[in-house]
């Protein structure tokens, strides 16, 4: 089992496996995660904000009030849980999407350049000439931070992903936050040490979105409370039976029957 590096006064994500030397955010100040030994769950945000950088702790800004309210409703003191982000560095302009777009634009140009160079290299091979080097693809900040994030997750059994970004990093889904919120699963991940681990996992909205769009506060709080019931095995969810091409009497039962849960596929 891989040993866990201590959280030093000057936090070094590379010690946890982050590929900082390849990252477009290289040189930024990383925000240390708040890791609690034996924590019931780890909460994963998107990326640090300005206040997070100033205080060197995740979820320290105005949106932390939203998180605190949800944890209070779930009777879970913040100090007893682990907190981290999908990326631990804040872009200079606080625009992570712009940094990702920059990487993707470079990679698209590199793909086109490499297609041309591969065609030319075929000719060079025939002529015995030196081959042209291919352009290297750049990883996104999320790609660079993923090994570090997985190592932090490995200390826990339960995960709450807050936002599209951490959900995409961990599950590969590109669905929006409003689509994924409240979704639960047993999520199996390949870990940096070569093993695999299964987590109880719930995705919800990012606190900043709840702060900006107040109508989501109730669903957000509900999701967090549901997460801890899920972690404790207190949810009584059963996958409904699926009826393909239902007959008339089956539709009548579904529409006007005694509350039987049936998923219909027409």
């Amino acid at each position: 089992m891989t040993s866990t590096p201590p959280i030093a006064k000057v936090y070094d994500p590379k010690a946890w496996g982050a590929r900082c030397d390849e990252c477009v955010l290289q040189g930024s100040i990383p925000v240390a995660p708040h890791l609690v030994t034996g924590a019931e769950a780890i909460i994963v945000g998107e990326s640090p904000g300005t206040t997070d950088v100033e205080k060197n702790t995740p979820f320290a800004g105005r949106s932390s009030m939203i998180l605190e309210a949800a944890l209070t409703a779930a009777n879970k003191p913040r100090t007893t849980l682990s907190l981290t982000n999908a990326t631990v560095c804040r872009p200079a302009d606080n625009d992570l999407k712009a940094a990702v777009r920059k990487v993707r634009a470079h990679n698209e140009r590199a793909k086109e350049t490499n297609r041309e160079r591969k065609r030319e290299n075929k000719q060079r091979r025939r002529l015995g000439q030196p081959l042209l080097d291919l352009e290297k693809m750049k990883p996104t900040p999320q790609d660079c931070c993923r090994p570090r994030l997985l190592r932090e997750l490995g200390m826990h059994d339960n995960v709450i992903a807050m936002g599209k970004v951490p959900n995409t990093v961990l599950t590969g889904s590109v669905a929006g936050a409003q689509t994924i919120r409240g979704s639960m699963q047993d999520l199996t991940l390949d870990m940096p040490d070569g093993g695999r681990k299964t987590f109880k996992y719930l995705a919800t909205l990012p606190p900043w979105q709840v702060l900006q769009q107040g109508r989501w506060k109730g669903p957000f709080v509900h999701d967090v409370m549901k997460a801890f019931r899920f972690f404790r095995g207190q949810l009584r969810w059963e996958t409904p039976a699926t009826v393909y091409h239902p007959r008339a009497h089956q539709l009548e039962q579904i529409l006007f029957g005694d509350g039987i849960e049936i998923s219909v596929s027409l």
Side-chain angles (χ1 to χ4, degrees):
M1 183 175 179
T2 305
S3 60
T4 300
I7 299 295
K9 290 183 178 179
V10 179
Y11 173 64
D12 181 12
K14 290 174 65 176
W16 288 74
R19 298 155 54 192
C20 300
D21 294 339
E22 305 173 55
C23 187
V24 294
L25 301 184
Q26 184 179 7
S28 302
I29 299 175
V31 173
H34 173 74
L35 300 178
V36 177
T37 302
E40 183 176 357
I42 182 169
I43 296 174
V44 186
E46 296 184 335
S47 62
T50 304
T51 307
D52 299 353
V53 174
E54 292 173 352
K55 296 185 176 181
N56 192 31
T57 189
F59 299 100
R62 291 177 57 217
S63 61
S64 66
M65 296 183 296
I66 301 297
L67 176 60
E68 295 280 2
L71 294 177
T72 298
N75 195 28
K76 297 295 175 183
R78 171 188 172 124
T79 54
T80 66
L81 303 170
S82 292
L83 307 171
T84 190
N85 281 297
T87 57
V88 291
C89 289
R90 174 186 175 274
D93 54 1
N94 203 26
D95 192 348
L96 184 61
K97 290 182 179 179
V100 173
R101 285 196 299 270
K102 181 179 179 181
V103 169
R104 290 175 177 166
H106 165 85
N107 289 343
E108 286 301 317
R109 292 192 299 270
K111 286 179 183 177
E112 182 60 32
T113 299
N114 288 343
R115 280 193 289 267
E116 295 175 0
R117 290 183 179 179
K118 285 178 182 178
R119 286 194 292 266
E120 186 170 345
N121 280 342
K122 289 182 179 179
Q123 180 69 15
R124 286 172 172 263
R125 285 192 186 93
R126 287 194 291 267
L127 298 175
Q129 297 175 345
L131 300 181
L132 300 175
D133 292 331
L134 299 181
E135 291 284 341
K136 292 184 178 180
M137 308 297 283
K138 289 184 177 180
T140 65
Q142 293 95 330
D143 293 332
C144 293
C145 246
R146 192 172 190 273
R148 182 270 318 162
L149 176 61
L150 290 175
R151 201 167 182 185
E152 293 170 5
L153 262 59
M155 300 168 58
H156 306 80
D157 296 321
N158 305 313
V159 181
I160 302 177
M162 294 189 168
K164 175 182 176 179
V165 172
N167 186 68
T168 298
V169 169
L170 294 174
T171 71
S173 169
V174 295
Q178 295 177 20
T179 300
I180 62 172
R181 62 145 294 265
S183 61
M184 303 169 294
Q185 60 177 300
D186 291 326
L187 178 65
T188 301
L189 297 173
D190 294 323
M191 305 303 287
D193 62 3
R196 307 189 81 199
K197 183 170 181 176
T198 299
F199 303 86
K200 286 191 177 299
Y201 176 90
L202 181 138
T204 187
L205 302 164
W208 64 260
Q209 181 177 347
V210 180
L211 183 66
Q212 293 179 1
Q213 303 171 5
R215 68 182 184 276
W216 289 109
K217 182 176 180 180
F220 176 77
V221 171
H222 178 269
D223 286 349
V224 173
M225 294 174 66
K226 182 172 72 170
F228 288 101
R229 294 198 305 273
F230 174 48
F231 299 157
R232 293 191 300 266
Q234 294 176 347
L235 286 181
R236 294 182 175 85
W237 166 259
E238 294 183 5
T239 304
T242 301
V243 178
Y244 295 93
H245 309 295
R247 298 174 182 269
H249 75 277
Q250 291 173 314
L251 286 173
E252 184 177 2
Q253 180 187 21
I254 294 165
L255 294 173
F256 309 110
D258 55 2
I260 297 175
E261 292 188 55
I262 302 178
S263 174
V264 179
S265 181
L266 301 174

